[in-house]
Amino acid sequence: MKIVIASDHAGFRLKKILKEHFSEHEFIDVGTYSEESCDYPDYAILAGEKVVSGEAELGIVICGTGIGISIAANKIKGIRAALCFNEYMADMSRRHNNANVLALGAKVIDEDLAIRITDTWLKSKFEEGRHERRIQKIVKIELLK
């Protein structure tokens, strides 16, 4: 699977860990490439664009809490970024919400939990059915101006 991955400086270390742990997947790393201070919206945009264009099937974005980068990613039409703090949230975000971007907070969860969350998220599949109707309502919200 081709996955775009992005982080700000706070998420840089966790990004490297996830890429190494899930090396069976092809990653498109759009930055950042160091722990030098930078702005998470810049990387949320780069990751979101890769998902929306189809260049990547899914995306993972990481900042200190996951909050800022998930808010920024969700501003991109077509992105459904889910900030997950446990495996249940990761599973449900895919099964019921068809999340196409996983957001993680590197300062609020440990590395082992981040790996478990990511593993669950990557293995979970959208259930469709009644959930598709709800996703279509979200899409309509994106069209509001």
Side-chain angles (χ1 to χ4, degrees):
M1 179 181 309
K2 192 178 282 190
I3 302 164
V4 63
I5 193 165
S7 73
D8 70 355
H9 56 284
F12 175 72
R13 186 170 179 275
L14 180 57
K15 182 180 69 159
K16 283 178 45 177
I17 289 165
L18 293 178
K19 284 172 50 180
E20 290 170 9
H21 186 84
F22 295 99
S23 61
E24 71 273 17
H25 297 288
E26 180 182 347
F27 283 96
I28 304 169
D29 187 339
V30 294
T32 193
Y33 306 109
S34 75
E35 292 181 338
E36 184 178 329
S37 183
C38 61
D39 300 327
Y40 58 80
D42 298 335
Y43 300 97
I45 291 167
L46 293 171
E49 288 174 343
K50 297 286 187 199
V51 173
V52 171
S53 73
E55 191 173 333
E57 294 173 59
L58 297 171
I60 299 171
V61 294
I62 310 162
C63 70
T65 63
I67 296 169
I69 205 161
S70 66
I71 291 171
N74 277 316
K75 297 293 183 182
I76 301 166
K77 184 178 177 182
I79 294 301
R80 290 177 306 282
L83 174 56
C84 297
F85 292 107
N86 58 50
E87 293 130 305
Y88 179 74
M89 292 175 74
D91 184 43
M92 297 307 288
S93 76
R94 294 282 292 140
R95 289 176 50 205
H96 288 193
N97 307 117
N98 200 17
N100 53 11
V101 173
L102 171 64
L104 297 170
K107 293 184 177 181
V108 295
I109 59 173
D110 65 35
E111 295 163 6
D112 290 334
L113 179 56
I115 289 168
R116 292 194 318 269
I117 289 169
T118 303
D119 186 54
T120 299
W121 192 78
L122 291 173
K123 289 178 179 175
S124 297
K125 303 292 180 209
F126 183 47
E127 290 180 354
E128 298 182 16
R130 71 184 190 277
H131 306 294
E132 182 59 39
R133 179 180 74 242
R134 296 165 185 156
I135 299 305
Q136 290 311 310
K137 289 183 177 190
I138 293 171
V139 170
K140 286 181 182 177
I141 294 168
E142 290 178 335
L143 300 176
L144 297 176
K145 299 231 178 196

